[in-house]
């Protein structure tokens, strides 16, 4: 009789220990946990954990792929045809992981309004969320060129508005501006290391403004960032003495770093917190890595165009690329020489962001932090903005800051594009060279090419073809965008990118 009298509700019990959206987001501690979790998507494979580097580095004229995985090759050579397959990791997971990051940031922003807590701490947490959301929209704009503008985590009856690339960049700009209003210049507490700061938001705002070709505002924001001070009244950001310290665990979160994704080897609370770029883009011998993407020899050649003041090869070459150096036949990579590894002496491989000095093999869990924004990048962007504003002579100082660190002669003595003077076009070419040598393999080149209009006409595509044969397959108006995953078209809804 008791059993027959039971109602459905008697059996429908909730677990009081299980966190849900109805019993979470109640306290300041919940909001703090929420923003801490919102940093995690930066480490997802679809974001900075793996695929963004393949799409930005391998698809640009810096890289190419000869991977046995046909997807890898198709992403690099602009012959992506099957975008209905959920196994195409970069295609689907980049989209999903970037939008997960947007959603997790939105949860923090949405739920902060009803939480009673210390207002200064809440303000900072919301600023962090705006920064993270802006960073994801920035990458969505570059990879897909369009997408839904999801500005709330709360479900609604209407489908989200789909915007084109300029709309995504505009939202990223707004988010970084909102973040700047709320974030501190720096954190005094070591347990806050890696959180977004006012400088991180301003640095990303500069990057957005440059993509929008808003040279005036980009220049103004650059000067504001350069003028930021630490607690001792000294410049908050400065170039580190050793160029290589920007890509190793030795000197992470240094004075040159404006924002970096925090990685660590091994597991933390059962979760992998490393990244797998080194495993996919490293040296392909003895199982060291898969080498699914190689650097183009044209990048190696770029470093040979001029010598240091002591008539030596540009010292940025060695930390960027692995290659056989006849002057150093016993040079070690993962504890072995080039000959020990049986490598082709005519090939070059990526060395930047690998563990070639400290490991005997790469795994999927590298602990080197990825520098999303660093000061040298911003110096060169500022110089570019000045040149585009017709203030070419003012650009020299900031290019020379970067060159002097590696003992390259001041720009007026450069042998690459001699006699620049106030010639704006020659300076543009010089800046291309400077950014190649300083930032090679750092996932900035795709943005550079797009900003410079290199995808827009046959003349520029021809220039790219001479550096990277993959551009023989490039279709203007199509190949500068990645196709939207097929399964997403009806879910959003959204139409496929042109040409796919």
């Amino acid at each position: 009789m008791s059993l027959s009298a039971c109602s459905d509700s008697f059996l429908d019990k909730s677990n009081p220990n299980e966190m849900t959206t109805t019993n979470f987001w109640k306290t300041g501690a919940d909001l703090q946990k929420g923003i801490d979790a919102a940093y995690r998507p930066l480490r997802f494979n679809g974001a900075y954990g793996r695929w963004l580097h393949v799409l930005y580095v391998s698809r640009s004229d810096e890289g190419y792929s000869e991977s046995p995985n046909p997807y890898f090759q198709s992403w690099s050579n602009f012959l992506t045809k099957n975008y209905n397959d959920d196994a195409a990791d970069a295609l689907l997971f980049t989209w999903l992981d970037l939008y997960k990051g947007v959603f997790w940031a939105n949860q923090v922003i949405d739920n902060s309004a009803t939480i009673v807590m210390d207002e200064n701490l809440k303000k900072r947490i919301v600023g962090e969320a705006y920064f993270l959301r802006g960073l994801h929209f920035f990458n969505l704009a570059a990879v897909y060129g369009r997408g839904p503008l999801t500005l709330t985590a709360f479900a609604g009856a209407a489908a989200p508005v789909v915007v084109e690339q300029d709309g995504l960049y505009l939202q990223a700009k707004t988010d970084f501006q909102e973040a700047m209003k709320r974030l501190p210049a720096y954190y005094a507490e070591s347990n806050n290391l890696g959180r977004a700061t006012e400088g991180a938001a301003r640095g990303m705002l500069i990057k957005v403004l440059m993509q929008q070709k808003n040279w005036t505002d980009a220049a103004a924001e650059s000067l504001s960032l350069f003028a930021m001070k630490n607690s001792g009244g000294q410049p908050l950001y400065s170039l580190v003495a050793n160029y290589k310290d920007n890509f190793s665990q030795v000197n992470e979160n240094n004075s040159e770093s404006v924002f970096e994704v925090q990685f660590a080897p091994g597991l933390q609370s059962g979760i992998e917190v490393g990244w797998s770029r080194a495993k996919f883009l490293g040296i392909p011998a003895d199982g060291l890595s898969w080498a699914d993407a190689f650097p183009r020899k044209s990048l190696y050649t770029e470093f040979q165009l001029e010598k240091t003041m002591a008539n030596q090869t540009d010292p940025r070459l060695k930390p960027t690329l692995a290659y056989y150096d006849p002057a150093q036949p016993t040079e070690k990579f993962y504890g072995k020489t080039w000959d020990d590894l049986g490598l082709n002496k005519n090939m070059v491989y990526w060395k930047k962001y690998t563990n070639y000095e400290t490991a005997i093999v790469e795994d999927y869990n590298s602990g080197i932090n990825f520098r999303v924004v660093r000061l040298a990048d911003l110096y060169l962007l500022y110089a570019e903005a000045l040149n585009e504003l017709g203030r070419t002579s003012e650009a020299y100082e900031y290019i020379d800051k970067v060159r002097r660190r590696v003992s390259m002669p001041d720009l007026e003595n450069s042998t690459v594009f001699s006699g620049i003077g106030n010639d704006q076009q020659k300076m543009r070419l010089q800046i291309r060279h400077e950014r190649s040598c300083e930032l090679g393999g750092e996932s900035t080149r795709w943005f550079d090419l797009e900003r410079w209009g290199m995808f827009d006409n046959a003349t520029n595509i021809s220039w790219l073809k001479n550096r990277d044969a993959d551009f023989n397959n490039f279709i203007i108006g199509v190949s500068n965008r990645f196709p939207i995953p097929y399964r997403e078209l009806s879910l959003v809804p959204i139409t496929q990118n042109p040409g796919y």
Side-chain angles (χ1 to χ4, degrees):
M1 288 177 63
S2 296
L3 289 173
S4 64
C6 287
S7 67
D8 289 343
S9 62
F10 179 81
L11 299 174
D12 186 16
K13 297 294 184 182
S14 61
N15 180 354
N17 298 314
E18 183 180 62
M19 285 295 181
T20 69
T21 54
T22 58
N23 61 18
F24 194 68
W25 303 116
K26 299 294 184 183
T27 67
D30 291 344
L31 198 67
Q32 183 67 68
K33 290 176 183 177
I35 192 60
D36 291 349
Y39 282 88
R40 188 181 167 203
L42 296 178
R43 295 195 297 265
F44 285 173
N45 282 343
Y48 293 106
R50 181 183 303 168
W51 297 123
L52 278 182
H53 307 286
V54 173
L55 297 179
Y56 289 149
V57 177
S58 184
R59 289 173 78 212
S60 79
D61 62 333
E62 288 182 336
Y64 69 105
S65 175
E66 292 182 351
S67 171
N69 183 328
Y71 290 121
F72 264 92
Q73 288 202 39
S74 71
W75 300 330
S76 175
N77 63 20
F78 308 109
L79 293 177
T80 303
K81 299 192 184 300
N82 186 354
Y83 35 93
N84 300 337
D85 188 350
D86 288 354
D89 290 353
L91 178 61
L92 177 62
F93 289 122
T94 297
W95 177 276
L96 291 183
D97 288 349
L98 292 177
Y99 271 109
K100 284 178 187 175
V102 170
F103 176 72
W104 290 15
N106 279 339
Q107 285 188 307
V108 173
I109 296 168
D110 289 347
N111 288 286
S112 66
T114 59
I115 293 177
V116 178
M117 61 180 293
D118 179 85
E119 286 299 318
N120 287 328
L121 179 57
K122 180 197 287 192
K123 177 182 176 182
R124 191 202 82 191
I125 289 173
V126 173
E128 292 177 75
Y130 275 119
F131 171 83
L132 293 170
R133 189 174 75 178
L135 187 53
H136 295 303
F137 279 133
F138 178 77
N139 286 311
L140 284 162
V143 176
Y144 298 98
R146 58 203 300 267
L149 197 64
T150 51
L151 301 181
T152 178
F154 298 137
V161 174
V162 174
V163 297
E164 301 303 316
Q165 185 186 59
D166 57 351
L168 291 171
Y169 276 139
L170 180 60
Q171 186 59 51
K173 172 185 173 182
T174 299
D175 284 347
F176 294 136
Q177 288 172 329
E178 291 298 320
M180 284 165 53
K181 297 174 185 177
R182 296 167 169 84
L183 292 173
Y186 54 87
Y187 296 92
E189 311 86 358
S190 60
N191 63 329
N192 285 321
L193 191 67
R195 294 189 185 279
T197 62
E198 178 190 345
R202 180 169 275 115
M204 285 306 306
L205 175 61
I206 292 165
K207 284 179 169 282
V208 174
L209 292 169
M210 291 297 291
Q211 295 310 113
Q212 294 177 317
K213 301 184 180 181
N214 185 342
W215 318 120
T216 299
D217 288 354
E221 293 295 346
S222 296
L223 285 180
S224 294
L225 184 140
F226 303 156
M228 294 180 73
K229 306 292 185 184
N230 61 22
S231 58
Q234 299 300 310
L236 186 58
Y237 302 107
S238 60
L239 299 182
V240 294
N242 188 350
Y243 173 76
K244 191 170 69 173
D245 282 356
N246 290 302
F247 323 109
S248 71
Q249 288 183 262
V250 173
N251 193 11
E252 293 177 329
N253 300 297
N254 58 49
S255 63
E256 186 168 340
S257 180
V258 181
F259 182 74
E260 55 194 75
V261 179
Q262 305 294 305
F263 290 109
L267 301 176
Q268 290 189 6
S269 303
I271 298 173
E272 287 189 355
V273 290
W275 57 320
S276 56
R277 168 184 163 138
K279 187 65 175 177
F280 281 84
L281 273 67
I283 296 174
D286 288 3
L288 296 178
S289 81
W290 306 128
D292 283 304
F294 302 126
R296 282 290 181 188
K297 202 68 177 283
S298 57
L299 179 58
Y300 171 85
T301 303
E302 197 80 37
F303 288 97
Q304 310 293 338
L305 293 180
E306 61 180 325
K307 301 292 187 180
T308 67
M309 291 186 291
N311 199 35
Q312 301 295 314
T313 300
D314 189 326
R316 293 171 292 191
L317 173 58
K318 285 283 185 181
T320 302
L321 301 177
Y323 59 95
Y324 177 72
D325 184 353
Q328 294 180 272
T330 60
E331 184 179 6
K332 298 293 181 67
F333 308 87
Y334 303 96
K336 296 183 178 181
T337 68
W338 200 266
D339 285 338
D340 290 337
L341 294 169
L343 292 166
N344 185 332
K345 292 182 179 178
N346 293 316
M347 288 290 292
V348 293
Y349 306 101
W350 290 114
K351 188 193 282 186
K352 190 174 281 186
Y353 282 119
T354 66
N355 297 280
Y356 70 97
E357 289 183 306
T358 59
I360 58 172
V361 66
E362 294 288 0
D363 60 22
Y364 295 91
N365 213 20
S366 173
I368 303 172
N369 288 356
F370 176 66
R371 283 66 162 179
V372 178
V373 191
R374 63 184 181 91
L375 184 61
D377 181 8
L378 298 180
Y379 277 161
L380 294 178
L381 288 177
Y382 179 54
E384 183 178 334
L386 291 175
N387 186 53
E388 294 304 319
L389 289 169
R391 296 160 58 185
T392 302
S393 62
E394 297 175 54
Y396 280 72
E397 176 185 354
Y398 290 87
I399 296 174
D400 285 339
K401 287 177 184 289
V402 176
R403 291 170 63 89
R404 287 169 188 160
R405 191 239 307 263
V406 288
S407 299
M408 301 303 289
D410 282 359
L411 191 56
E412 63 182 13
N413 298 316
S414 171
T415 57
V416 181
F417 301 101
S418 59
I420 295 173
N422 286 317
D423 188 317
Q424 187 182 55
Q425 181 55 27
K426 280 188 178 181
M427 181 61 87
R428 286 178 182 140
L429 297 176
Q430 182 74 38
I431 287 171
R432 286 186 195 177
H433 167 71
E434 301 294 342
R435 291 186 66 79
S436 288
C437 294
E438 178 67 24
L439 302 162
E442 295 184 43
S443 298
T444 61
R445 183 67 171 181
W446 187 263
F447 292 93
D448 290 347
L449 295 176
E450 185 162 64
R451 183 175 69 254
W452 298 335
M454 300 306 293
F455 303 145
D456 298 345
N457 58 67
T459 299
N460 288 339
I461 296 299
S462 179
W463 185 86
L464 291 169
K465 288 177 183 178
N466 289 330
R467 295 171 58 87
D468 182 351
D470 286 345
F471 278 87
N472 285 303
N473 305 318
F474 191 94
I475 301 172
I476 294 173
V478 175
S479 302
N480 58 321
R481 298 286 173 266
F482 209 43
I484 295 169
Y486 177 78
R487 52 164 276 177
E488 297 297 299
L489 300 182
S490 59
L491 293 176
V492 173
I494 187 173
T495 57
Q496 186 54 272
N497 275 335
Y500 294 102

